């Protein structure tokens, strides 16, 4: 009877895995009434064949290293033409996991895949296409493959506290003492501890090489659904030079002070849907990039990206474009999202050494509260100290000059921001063609608009301290129905 119950339980898991993608296949609502022409990406089709990690020697005891078990299971599935690798409940300590075409990595509820802090398991490798230098091998990586998925409700944990540098002023005394108590065996690669208590005292420049937890490059037709991705050494979900994919219902979390702890970063990607995700992170939460200089221009833009129904609980920016924009941005829609306790709400940033054309950007139906700095920011001076940018001198226009052209933002409600809207355009390349309408801001400052052209505010309500101007700056702003309370 016991044997029968085990077989029945496994059959239920198999049926659940094989039928789950079909149940989530209808994304038509996300693509209703788009301001540009785009269709939902096709979901991967995975063969109805399932194995368990335990079939290949994996043990979820938090002690046994399961790197070889993952590799054997994935190789077996690849030889069979694909299928599902089920990771049961347990703590599965492992090194890197390399995904293959046709395979679904499925994490059951209460499955925690915990990546070892031992550096030797994550060798320094040459970066992939469009990225210079070297980096650590990502804990979960996919490169130039198609038709695959990461699904389930389990956890991918990067053990990031062993990798990240720490800024003393960003941690409490109790946290600092806890970090100092971390003791690890010496790495065979560097001959030093893997923990660095300060950013200014790295003994092997590890802060320049920290792995991104899930890194997908040059891939297509894939799905990342339902999983928790947390505590990365660096970025959490990093998708580069990929197209036709869906990220649905993913939770990203890490400490608020995690250095470079970006949530979900898409770089030079096309035809993608990001929906129903939750992010609580230490850097930009949902971010689009497209490279720097000639390399970025060769990589090309982020294009035809739809982002809907996401929640950000903390981050430097809720939705962010930049700062690396050489490849450009085109046809981006952000709709029905919530930003809570972020430094900035909508953050569009670039600089004279990393700019490109950003156009066709649409944002609508956004709610925000407790925004420390700007609810909406256009910043052409990333990492330059120019204040609000009104008096910054002009410079020659080059291919790297940022060009913010054609942004439509509507139906935004923001309670408690430092500044409602801040525009820091360049004298040689003003922010242009921006329309913000039907919005309400409770803030310490209103709209500060410097070096902008064809900039309009319509049906805007500002709740500001008494005597604070609703609109200021050196640029003419087209206005209609502006109310100040």
């Amino acid at each position: 009877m016991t044997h029968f119950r085990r077989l029945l339980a496994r059959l239920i898991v198999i049926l659940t895995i094989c039928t789950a993608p079909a149940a989530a296949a209808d994304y038509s609502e996300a693509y209703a009434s788009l301001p540009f022409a785009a269709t939902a990406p096709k979901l991967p089709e995975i063969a109805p064949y399932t194995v368990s990690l335990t079939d290949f020697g994996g043990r979820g005891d938090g002690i046994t290293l399961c790197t070889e078990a993952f590799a054997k299971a994935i190789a077996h599935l690849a030889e069979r033409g694909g299928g599902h690798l089920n990771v049961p409940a347990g703590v599965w300590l492992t090194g890197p996991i390399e995904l293959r075409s046709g395979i679904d990595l499925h994490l059951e509820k209460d499955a925690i895949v915990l990546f070892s802090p031992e550096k030797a398991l994550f060798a320094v490798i040459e970066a992939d296409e469009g990225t210079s230098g070297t980096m650590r091998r990502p804990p979960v990586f996919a490169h130039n493959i198609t038709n695959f998925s990461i699904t389930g409700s389990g956890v991918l944990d990067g053990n990031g506290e062993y990798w990240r540098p720490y800024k003393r002023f960003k941690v409490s005394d109790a946290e600092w003492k806890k970090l100092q108590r971390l003791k690890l065996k010496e790495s065979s690669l560097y001959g030093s501890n893997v923990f660095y208590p300060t950013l200014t005292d790295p003994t092997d420049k590890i802060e320049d090489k920290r792995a991104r937890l899930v890194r997908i490059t040059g891939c297509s037709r894939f799905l990342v659904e339902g999983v928790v991705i947390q505590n990365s050494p660096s970025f959490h979900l990093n998708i580069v030079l990929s197209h036709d994919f869906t990220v649905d219902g993913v939770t990203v979390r890490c400490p608020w002070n995690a250095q470079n702890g970006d949530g979900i970063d898409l770089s030079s990607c096309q035809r993608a849907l990001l929906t129903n995700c939750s992010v609580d992170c230490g850097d930009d939460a949902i971010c689009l990039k497209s490279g720097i200089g000639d390399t970025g221009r060769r990589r090309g833009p982020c294009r035809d990206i739809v982002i809907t129904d996401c929640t950000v609980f903390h981050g430097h920016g809720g939705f962010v474009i930049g700062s690396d924009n050489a490849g450009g941005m085109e046809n981006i829609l952000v709709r029905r999202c919530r930003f809570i306790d972020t430094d900035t709400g909508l953050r569009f940033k670039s600089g004279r050494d990393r700019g490109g054309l950003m156009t066709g950007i649409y944002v609508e139906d956004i709610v925000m509260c407790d925004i420390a700095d700007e609810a909406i920011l256009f910043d052409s001076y990333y990492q330059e100290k120019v204040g609000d940018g009104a008096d910054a001198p002009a410079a020659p226009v080059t291919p790297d000059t940022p060009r913010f052209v054609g942004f439509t933002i509507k139906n935004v409600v923001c309670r408690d921001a430092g500044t409602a809207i801040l525009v820091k355009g360049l004298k040689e390349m003003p922010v242009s063609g921006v329309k913000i309408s039907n919005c309400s801001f409770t803030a310490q400052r209103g709209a500060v608009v410097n070096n902008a052209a064809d900039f309009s505010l319509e049906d805007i309500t500002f709740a500001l301290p008494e005597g604070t101007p609703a609109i200021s700056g050196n640029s003419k702003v087209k206005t209609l129905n502006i109310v100040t309370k």
Side-chain angles (χ1 to χ4, degrees):
M1 187 65 176
T2 303
H3 178 66
F4 173 76
R5 286 176 177 171
R6 286 200 300 265
L7 289 176
L8 180 61
R10 185 163 178 183
L11 178 60
I12 291 171
V13 169
I14 292 170
L15 291 174
T16 301
I17 295 170
C18 294
T19 58
D26 185 7
Y27 293 108
S28 57
E29 183 180 358
Y31 283 79
S33 304
L34 292 187
F36 49 83
T39 57
K42 290 184 178 180
L43 294 174
E45 295 180 356
I46 309 297
Y49 173 67
T50 298
V51 298
S52 173
L53 189 61
T54 57
D55 297 336
F56 299 86
R59 297 181 63 182
D61 57 12
I63 300 170
T64 304
L65 192 65
C66 299
T67 313
E68 186 176 357
F70 274 106
K72 286 181 177 179
I74 290 170
H76 171 78
L77 288 170
E79 290 172 1
R80 289 286 301 257
H84 304 265
L85 172 55
N86 186 54
V87 183
V91 179
W92 308 88
L93 184 68
T94 185
I97 299 171
E98 181 175 4
L99 302 176
R100 304 273 293 272
S101 294
I103 293 175
D104 168 44
L105 175 63
H106 182 83
L107 309 183
E108 283 189 25
K109 184 179 181 297
D110 299 327
I112 301 175
V113 178
L114 180 65
F115 293 94
S116 170
E118 176 54 51
K119 290 179 186 176
L121 296 173
F122 302 91
V124 176
I125 60 173
E126 291 297 322
D128 42 38
E129 299 105 323
T131 305
S132 60
T134 59
M135 64 187 305
R136 290 282 178 172
R137 183 174 294 280
V140 178
F141 64 102
H143 182 57
N144 287 349
I145 64 173
T146 188
N147 195 51
F148 66 95
S149 57
I150 304 171
T151 64
S153 54
V155 176
L156 296 168
D157 190 310
N159 235 338
E161 64 268 22
Y162 291 105
W163 295 85
R164 294 187 297 263
Y166 293 86
K167 293 183 178 180
R168 178 64 182 89
F169 74 91
K170 282 191 173 185
V171 297
S172 66
D173 290 344
E175 287 176 301
W176 190 248
K177 290 178 181 178
K178 179 181 177 181
L179 291 169
Q180 289 179 316
R181 287 196 298 267
L182 285 176
K183 300 294 182 183
L184 298 173
K185 64 181 179 180
E186 289 190 348
S187 165
S188 61
L189 214 67
Y190 287 91
S192 60
N193 291 338
V194 301
F195 166 63
Y196 302 101
T198 70
L199 181 63
T200 56
D201 186 28
T203 55
D204 67 1
K205 300 183 179 179
I206 191 63
E207 72 279 6
D208 293 330
K209 301 180 184 295
R210 283 175 288 136
R212 284 99 190 258
L213 180 44
V214 179
R215 184 167 170 86
I216 299 171
T217 62
C219 296
S220 64
R221 195 172 184 178
F222 59 89
L223 169 69
V224 183
E225 181 184 45
V227 293
V228 177
I229 303 173
Q230 68 176 31
N231 202 16
S232 175
S234 181
F235 297 0
H236 285 76
L237 177 57
N238 185 205
I239 305 176
V240 183
L241 290 165
S242 297
H243 61 90
D244 297 288
F245 61 88
T246 301
V247 179
D248 182 6
V250 168
T251 298
V252 174
R253 57 188 299 272
C254 71
W256 73 271
N257 51 15
Q259 190 76 9
N260 303 119
D262 285 35
I264 302 173
D265 281 28
L266 310 184
S267 185
S268 297
C269 292
Q270 290 85 43
R271 298 184 299 280
L273 171 64
L274 174 61
T275 186
N276 301 315
C277 293
S278 173
V279 181
D280 189 343
C281 70
D283 210 301
D284 289 330
I286 300 171
C287 185
L288 305 183
K289 304 176 184 290
S290 61
I292 296 177
D294 290 338
T295 298
R297 284 183 282 276
R298 286 194 299 270
R299 286 170 51 159
C302 274
R303 178 188 291 130
D304 298 339
I305 310 291
V306 176
I307 300 169
T308 72
D309 301 287
C310 294
T311 300
V312 175
F313 291 105
H314 185 269
H316 289 183
F319 170 69
V320 182
I321 290 178
S323 63
D324 304 345
N325 293 306
M329 301 281 157
E330 183 179 358
N331 292 351
I332 312 295
L333 171 65
V334 181
R335 175 188 281 168
R336 297 191 302 270
C337 291
R338 301 175 291 180
F339 307 145
I340 303 165
D341 192 30
T342 60
D343 294 347
T344 303
L346 300 168
R347 187 185 191 194
F348 311 122
K349 59 178 180 175
S350 192
R352 287 178 169 132
D353 61 338
R354 61 190 62 206
L357 175 62
M358 293 153 277
T359 188
I361 315 298
Y362 303 87
V363 182
E364 60 188 39
D365 302 326
I366 307 296
V367 293
M368 318 181 198
C369 65
D370 297 326
I371 307 300
D373 299 319
E374 301 85 11
I376 301 173
L377 171 66
F378 291 85
D379 182 5
S380 301
Y381 300 91
Y382 182 63
Q383 294 185 330
E384 288 189 57
K385 296 180 179 180
V386 296
D388 289 343
D391 300 322
V397 174
T398 74
D400 295 320
T401 301
R403 289 168 287 164
F404 296 101
V405 181
F407 284 62
T408 301
I409 302 171
K410 63 182 181 180
N411 305 336
V412 173
V413 176
C414 177
R415 171 78 186 188
D416 291 333
T419 301
I421 302 166
L422 175 58
V423 179
K424 298 166 63 174
L426 301 170
K427 282 187 168 64
E428 69 270 21
M429 187 64 68
V431 172
S432 65
V434 174
K435 181 178 180 180
I436 302 175
S437 64
N438 194 34
C439 299
S440 172
F441 302 97
T442 304
Q444 294 302 303
R445 293 201 302 173
V448 182
V449 183
N450 289 314
N451 300 324
D454 189 22
F455 195 98
S456 69
L457 299 174
E458 296 184 7
D459 300 315
I460 308 294
T461 299
F462 295 102
L464 305 169
E466 185 175 356
T468 302
I471 303 171
S472 60
N474 65 14
S475 298
K476 182 178 180 181
V477 177
K478 301 176 186 177
T479 61
L480 178 66
N481 296 332
I482 306 299
V483 177
T484 304
K485 295 183 177 181

